Amino acid sequence: MTPNKYYAQDIKSVLGSLGTSTEGLTEQDAATRLNKYGQNEIIEEKKVSRLEMLLSQFKSFLIIILLAAAVVSALLGEIADSIIILLIVIFSGILGFIQEYRAQNAIDALKKMAAPTARVVRDGRESTIPAAKIVPGDIIFLQTGDGIPADSRLIEAINLEINEASLTGESVSVRKKTDALEEELPVADRNNMAYTGTSVSIGRGKAVVTATGMQTELGRIAGMLGKIERERTPLQESLDRLGKWIGIITLVVVAVVSILGVLSGFEIIEMFIWGVALAVAAVPEALPAVVTVCLALGVRRMVKRHALIRKLPSVETLGATTVICSDKTGTLTHDEMTVTKIFVDGRMLEVTGAGYEPEGNFLEGNRKIEPEKYNDLKNLLLISALCNDSKIINDNSVWHIKGDPTEGALVVAAAKAGIHKQEIETKYRRTGEIPFSSERKMMTTICETPEGLYAYSKGAPEVILDSCTRIYHNGSIVDLGSTEKENIHDTVKMMAKKALRIMAFSYKHFENGSVNNDTEKNMIFAGLAGMIDPPREEVKEAIATCKQAGIKTIMITGDHEITGSVIAKDLGLLEEGEMVLTGVKLDNLDDKGLDNIVEKVSVYARVSPAHKMRIIDALKKKEHVVAMTGDGVNDAPALKAADIGISMGITGTAVSKEASDMILTDDNFASIVAAIEEGRNIYKNIRNFVLYGLGCHIGEVLIVLIAMLAWQTLPLIAIQILWINLITDGLPPMALSVEPPDIGLMKQPPRKRDEGIITKRVLLYSSGVGALIAIQALFIFKWTLDNSGIVKAQTMVFTLIVISMMFNAFNWRSEKLSVFSIGFLSNRMLIYAVASTILLQLLVIYTPSLNGPFSTMPLGIADWGLILILASTTLIFVEAAKRIESKYA
């Protein structure tokens, strides 16, 4: 039998299989086993060094082309050009490195979760040893507050509850027992096991260690994390494709132009230098830096919207997301048990407010009621506070529970009615109690009250009902008949269908003032309370927005199928025709079977980390870009395997944060929608400034090719080409990168994963703008050449291209919308960028010391009039094209 099946064996068989006994191991036997199994610790995977992280920033094809261009420029003596290119590349790389340096090792976080010491039985005696020295077969002791040091099979459980949220993701502590269970159960249902990384909420117990180190459930998760390799983001792939495309085209064009130049009579060395200049002009050397800055600015904006990005390219990946796989507890819900329904005296009341803050109302239908005016409700809430070992604490305006979450929810409900546990305990003094046990399924406290001695009980509805012979009805205590009991049972079933965890309450007065042996008999039924970890209010709207944006939301939870389905329906996540799949059913499906239905499933319940990995893989096979949210250790492998992993900043474990690409600082699913919108907008802006720059590069190549073929003359010299690139590819693209989202951006479907930055549409527009700039320049070049000479002709072309590009910058504030519809002057940064660029161009025209190096001369008012008229056609042309496209789209 494999280690994870010890839960299906009885205690005697488990001890026999592990070669141990309740007296524990001998020190000699423990030493032998330690040598065999190794230390009880998580093995650390190899870290990425700082140098490797820095070098990884320079691996893209576009960066390699730029580095090659810098080297060639330096060899040809163009030192200034070489330095500029290198500075741009280095700036881009350093920005990326700084952003990624924040990441730490996920396995380190796993190691920190391990308990430092443990109490064991060795040589028949109890002793405390380092947890790393524990071996399979050791007998360990557990008590309230202890961290579980190794995976273990319980052999003794006294009122024992273990919080397994870090492993299963579910907030409610698990009541433990020692009986053998069925052979096929998910981790969350193995209630006779204790797992590494979890902790004891209440009670005490004893267990035999079944697995240590990497063989534990936590170790298996660590192993999965170590095997998962990060895939390149769509943006990285798209930029690499763009770099290769530009590289090939550039080499061909430069070769053709250089050969034509030599054949036209130019010197070979001159044409070689000029060819390098044209190559640098054709390659958008500022693009990596602008993309990096665009992403970095996006990161800053997202922090304000409660999303913290750990790796820059992940920002853009969000924009391509087609599926969000979300953990339920703490992500779609509050991760705080809350009483939402109370059944008293035949009436069902609703309790508003979510979480542990004692704020909320009591409603009957749509009518608000005052609890103090209703003795039946007041009585039930009094019992829920007094038959209770938990309390609520306000720590710096943050409310939280000390004790069991279920009991805590009852204390909060009472506090909403003004019944505060800490206050009433001074008047209602506890004098005795009968503790809860898994066999009895109820708890009773004895309290001395101003009205006399009372017993207050709470527990499972069927058990409490069996102990009751009377019921509070219409202000009186009457006999509880079979009809009333049947009605209460029906109410319990109705509440259970809504995935509520139901607690029943009863009480009785000791008339003679003393407790007898029949404390829990002949009780008076007080009512029912139904509680649930409620969905976040804002999540429903966020899921609806995702649907509009063509993004499917899938719930993946360790909770029960019924609970998951109810929450999913309430959120609008589970609709007609969509499926719910459990972990057990998933195990019975092979990969092909899962592939066939994966797009139809909206809820996965009772799943393990391995199941989550299968789901992610199946969705990726269908070409989906998958985002995975989560907060527990169990989510870490899937967070790392997803295209973008999103962890919770408040409730998330250190492991989940380190495995993720993005952290939600407010633990709010709705913040994901804001992040997706930001991601889409960033990609839109990147594409827009590529569109903006590509037209210029195409135009330059066309101008030079046609001028050389037609007149054997260079319309631009090398330094002019480099200057155009420097000033037009600098500030304006930076300004375009901060454009806000277009109206309706979140009503568009996600782009396809393999859709690059350069699409047919982008190429068409860029070619059109490039051709228009070429026509303008060739006209003005020929006209000026015939009337004023080569220097003025080159100056006119030189300036026209710059001014045309400034008009073109306004075109690409939006890819599809008219710039006038979004406000021509609304992007102030673009206004400043355009003004600064024009000012720099004026400097090289009107500064005498720069006229020589740049081969320029001052221009007159008539020259500027002609340039502005021709350059403005760039804006007019694109505006007309957008209108035609929108009309016939």
Side-chain angles (χ1 to χ4, degrees):
M1 185 171 285
T2 56
N4 65 337
K5 293 289 183 70
Y6 284 116
Y7 62 85
Q9 292 180 279
D10 59 36
I11 294 171
K12 185 177 179 180
S13 298
V14 172
L15 293 171
S17 298
L18 293 166
T20 188
S21 70
T22 54
E23 296 300 310
L25 302 172
T26 65
E27 288 290 354
Q28 184 178 355
D29 191 12
T32 302
R33 295 187 183 204
L34 186 63
N35 187 55
K36 177 181 178 181
Y37 296 108
Q39 298 226 27
N40 178 33
E41 59 185 11
I42 305 300
I43 297 172
E44 186 175 356
E45 65 180 9
K46 185 183 177 182
K47 291 183 179 180
V48 176
S49 70
R50 296 176 191 178
L51 181 60
E52 288 174 318
M53 192 183 296
L54 180 61
L55 292 176
S56 70
Q57 310 300 319
F58 304 98
K59 289 183 177 178
S60 81
F61 194 81
L62 197 55
I63 292 290
I64 292 169
I65 288 176
L66 291 174
L67 290 172
V71 171
V72 173
S73 295
L75 291 174
L76 292 173
E78 303 292 334
I79 304 300
D81 302 337
S82 178
I83 290 172
I84 289 169
I85 296 168
L86 285 174
L87 285 175
I88 289 170
V89 170
I90 291 169
F91 172 71
S92 175
I94 289 175
L95 266 182
F97 170 75
I98 290 171
Q99 192 68 23
E100 289 190 19
Y101 183 65
R102 296 176 56 259
Q104 296 179 3
N105 195 285
I107 307 301
D108 281 342
L110 283 166
K111 290 179 75 175
K112 290 174 185 175
M113 292 188 66
T117 60
R119 291 185 301 130
V120 302
V121 179
R122 292 274 176 91
D123 290 325
R125 299 187 305 273
E126 182 182 332
S127 60
T128 300
I129 66 170
K133 303 297 182 184
I134 287 176
V135 294
D138 263 326
I139 304 297
I140 59 173
F141 295 93
L142 307 173
Q143 63 182 22
T144 303
D146 282 353
I148 308 299
D151 287 4
S152 313
R153 169 67 160 86
L154 293 166
I155 57 177
E156 187 179 290
I158 301 168
N159 199 28
L160 180 65
E161 290 188 13
I162 294 179
N163 185 333
E164 297 180 342
S166 63
L167 187 65
T168 65
E170 299 312 311
S171 56
V172 179
S173 295
V174 179
R175 177 71 60 170
K176 294 295 182 177
K177 62 180 185 178
T178 60
D179 301 336
L181 304 171
E182 298 173 20
E183 260 196 55
E184 295 298 334
L185 287 175
V187 171
D189 288 335
R190 299 173 193 170
N191 58 11
N192 60 8
M193 297 289 293
Y195 292 103
T196 309
T198 64
S199 60
V200 179
S201 300
I202 58 173
R204 57 189 174 86
K206 190 188 291 185
V208 57
V209 174
T210 58
T212 59
M214 296 300 289
Q215 297 305 309
T216 63
E217 289 295 325
L218 196 67
R220 290 193 182 96
I221 292 173
M224 280 191 273
L225 280 171
K227 292 175 184 175
I228 299 167
E229 292 186 8
R230 291 281 189 197
E231 293 183 2
R232 292 170 63 76
T233 70
L235 178 62
Q236 288 171 323
E237 292 173 353
S238 186
L239 286 175
D240 259 8
R241 284 197 299 270
L242 175 62
K244 290 172 184 175
W245 182 81
I246 289 174
I248 293 167
I249 298 296
T250 298
L251 292 174
V252 171
V253 169
V254 169
V256 170
V257 172
S258 297
I259 291 168
L260 286 174
V262 172
L263 294 176
S264 299
F266 292 96
E267 294 290 332
I268 294 177
I269 189 66
E270 181 185 359
M271 287 313 303
F272 185 67
I273 293 172
W274 186 89
V276 170
L278 186 59
V280 173
V283 176
E285 61 266 19
L287 181 60
V290 174
V291 168
T292 303
V293 171
C294 180
L295 294 174
L297 290 173
V299 167
R300 289 182 60 186
R301 290 193 298 271
M302 291 173 80
V303 168
K304 295 177 182 177
R305 302 180 83 172
H306 310 293
L308 180 65
I309 295 294
R310 299 180 67 240
K311 291 193 175 183
L312 284 180
S314 303
V315 184
E316 176 276 332
T317 307
L318 276 166
T321 300
T322 59
V323 175
I324 302 174
C325 295
S326 176
D327 187 45
K328 176 182 74 68
T329 306
T331 310
L332 300 174
T333 66
H334 286 271
D335 193 15
E336 296 173 339
M337 290 298 289
T338 305
V339 173
T340 57
K341 301 285 184 183
I342 290 178
F343 178 74
V344 287
D345 199 8
R347 296 174 300 140
M348 185 66 76
L349 307 178
E350 182 180 348
V351 186
T352 66
Y356 297 143
E357 184 176 1
E359 295 290 334
N361 297 314
F362 294 80
L363 306 176
E364 184 174 5
N366 294 321
R367 182 173 64 90
K368 179 182 173 181
I369 64 172
E370 302 297 331
E372 63 270 14
K373 295 180 181 179
Y374 295 84
N375 288 332
D376 51 0
L377 175 59
K378 200 164 51 172
N379 190 39
L380 181 144
L381 294 172
L382 184 70
I383 298 169
S384 70
L386 293 172
C387 186
N388 201 311
D389 290 325
S390 294
K391 59 183 178 179
I392 53 173
I393 298 170
N394 186 352
D395 186 8
N396 294 323
S397 299
V398 177
W399 292 90
H400 60 92
I401 292 294
K402 186 174 182 181
D404 180 72
T406 299
E407 287 196 324
L410 297 171
V411 176
V412 172
K416 287 177 181 178
I419 301 172
H420 299 281
K421 188 172 187 287
Q422 287 93 325
E423 293 176 9
I424 63 171
E425 283 179 333
T426 60
K427 293 181 182 179
Y428 296 78
R429 188 172 60 87
R430 186 185 296 191
T431 59
E433 69 177 270
I434 306 173
F436 182 94
S437 72
S438 56
E439 291 75 28
R440 291 175 358 91
K441 293 184 179 179
M442 68 183 293
M443 171 187 179
T444 301
T445 57
I446 316 297
C447 294
E448 188 69 54
T449 80
E451 292 80 29
L453 194 65
Y454 274 80
Y456 298 118
S457 298
K458 76 171 189 298
E462 65 276 12
V463 175
I464 293 294
L465 269 175
D466 285 345
S467 71
C468 293
T469 56
R470 294 167 290 168
I471 186 171
Y472 187 93
H473 179 61
N474 286 338
S476 303
I477 297 170
V478 299
D479 289 339
L480 178 62
S482 57
T483 302
E484 286 81 5
K485 281 193 175 184
E486 191 62 37
N487 288 338
I488 293 169
H489 279 300
D490 289 342
T491 302
V492 169
K493 290 177 184 175
M494 180 190 72
M495 294 172 75
K497 286 180 181 178
K498 295 180 179 178
L500 296 173
R501 186 172 189 179
I502 306 156
M503 197 72 70
F505 304 87
S506 62
Y507 67 102
K508 83 173 177 183
H509 179 224
F510 294 102
E511 307 245 343
N512 57 7
S514 61
V515 180
N516 54 45
N517 294 329
D518 296 330
T519 300
E520 295 179 329
K521 293 182 180 179
N522 300 315
M523 303 287 283
I524 302 164
F525 185 79
L528 305 167
M531 64 197 75
I532 196 170
D533 178 13
R536 294 174 180 267
E537 291 292 325
E538 62 279 2
V539 168
K540 191 169 186 177
E541 184 181 347
I543 288 174
T545 303
C546 285
K547 284 185 178 179
Q548 281 188 331
I551 301 166
K552 181 180 176 67
T553 306
I554 296 172
M555 178 192 291
I556 302 182
T557 178
D559 211 338
H560 290 283
E561 181 179 357
I562 294 174
T563 306
S565 298
V566 168
I567 296 291
K569 286 178 182 176
D570 190 29
L571 291 171
L573 189 151
L574 182 62
E575 296 183 341
E576 193 71 31
E578 294 180 322
M579 298 172 61
V580 178
L581 202 62
T582 63
V584 173
K585 292 176 183 175
L586 192 55
D587 284 332
N588 294 328
L589 284 173
D590 59 16
D591 289 344
K592 187 176 180 180
L594 179 59
D595 292 345
N596 290 337
I597 64 168
V598 70
E599 292 182 306
K600 300 174 185 176
V601 181
S602 289
V603 177
Y604 293 89
R606 274 303 194 238
V607 294
S608 68
H611 290 142
K612 293 179 182 181
M613 298 290 288
R614 284 190 66 196
I615 295 163
I616 298 285
D617 288 342
L619 287 166
K620 283 186 173 182
K621 286 180 187 175
K622 297 288 185 179
E623 299 300 319
H624 285 289
V625 176
V626 183
M628 167 73 189
T629 74
D631 59 358
V633 175
N634 62 316
D635 297 317
L639 287 172
K640 191 174 179 183
D643 292 293
I644 180 158
I646 307 169
S647 63
M648 304 296 114
I650 299 173
T651 59
T653 59
V655 182
S656 65
K657 291 175 187 176
E658 296 307 326
S660 65
D661 302 289
M662 184 176 93
I663 300 171
L664 296 181
T665 57
D666 63 349
D667 284 16
N668 194 333
F669 180 90
S671 296
I672 298 171
V673 179
I676 288 174
E677 182 180 42
E678 192 66 57
R680 287 189 173 191
N681 189 52
I682 284 169
Y683 192 84
K684 177 209 78 172
N685 288 341
I686 290 173
R687 175 174 280 173
N688 283 353
F689 60 64
V690 168
L691 256 167
Y692 154 80
L694 205 54
C696 177
H697 299 303
I698 291 172
E700 286 172 348
V701 173
L702 288 175
I703 291 165
V704 173
L705 267 175
I706 295 171
M708 287 187 65
L709 287 171
W711 306 302
Q712 288 77 49
T713 306
L714 289 176
L716 294 165
I717 63 171
I719 195 170
Q720 289 175 341
I721 292 173
L722 292 170
W723 178 255
I724 290 170
N725 264 28
L726 181 64
I727 64 171
T728 62
D729 283 357
L731 294 177
M734 295 289 185
L736 289 173
S737 73
V738 297
E739 275 292 327
D742 286 348
I743 297 169
L745 184 65
M746 288 301 286
K747 292 182 180 179
Q748 299 172 11
R751 71 177 190 278
K752 294 179 180 178
R753 184 187 186 96
D754 59 354
E755 181 183 306
I757 292 174
I758 304 298
T759 61
K760 289 180 181 178
R761 185 177 182 279
V762 169
L763 203 55
L764 185 63
Y765 267 99
S766 298
S767 300
V769 170
L772 183 62
I773 291 174
I775 291 168
Q776 298 166 2
L778 290 168
F779 166 77
I780 209 167
F781 178 71
K782 178 59 176 170
W783 184 84
T784 310
L785 185 64
D786 290 344
N787 294 281
S788 304
I790 187 65
V791 174
K792 186 173 182 179
Q794 288 177 334
T795 304
M796 291 286 281
V797 172
F798 181 34
T799 306
L800 175 67
I801 293 173
V802 172
I803 303 303
S804 290
M805 288 304 293
M806 295 306 98
F807 277 106
N808 195 38
F810 287 97
N811 282 328
W812 302 118
R813 288 185 56 197
S814 173
E815 187 179 349
K816 295 182 179 179
L817 301 178
S818 167
V819 69
F820 297 102
S821 68
I822 61 176
F824 189 82
L825 302 176
S826 58
N827 186 336
R828 289 187 179 181
M829 187 177 283
L830 183 60
I831 300 297
Y832 299 146
V834 168
S836 300
T837 304
I838 292 172
L839 181 61
L840 289 170
Q841 182 64 16
L842 292 175
L843 283 174
V844 300
I845 295 173
Y846 293 103
T847 303
S849 61
L850 296 177
N851 288 156
F854 280 92
S855 188
T856 56
M857 61 179 288
L859 299 176
I861 294 175
D863 299 326
W864 277 104
L866 181 59
I867 286 171
L868 288 172
I869 290 170
L870 290 173
S872 64
T873 61
T874 308
L875 177 63
I876 296 167
F877 169 79
V878 175
E879 280 290 308
K882 285 181 184 178
R883 296 207 173 195
I884 293 169
E885 185 182 16
S886 64
K887 185 176 180 180
Y888 294 101

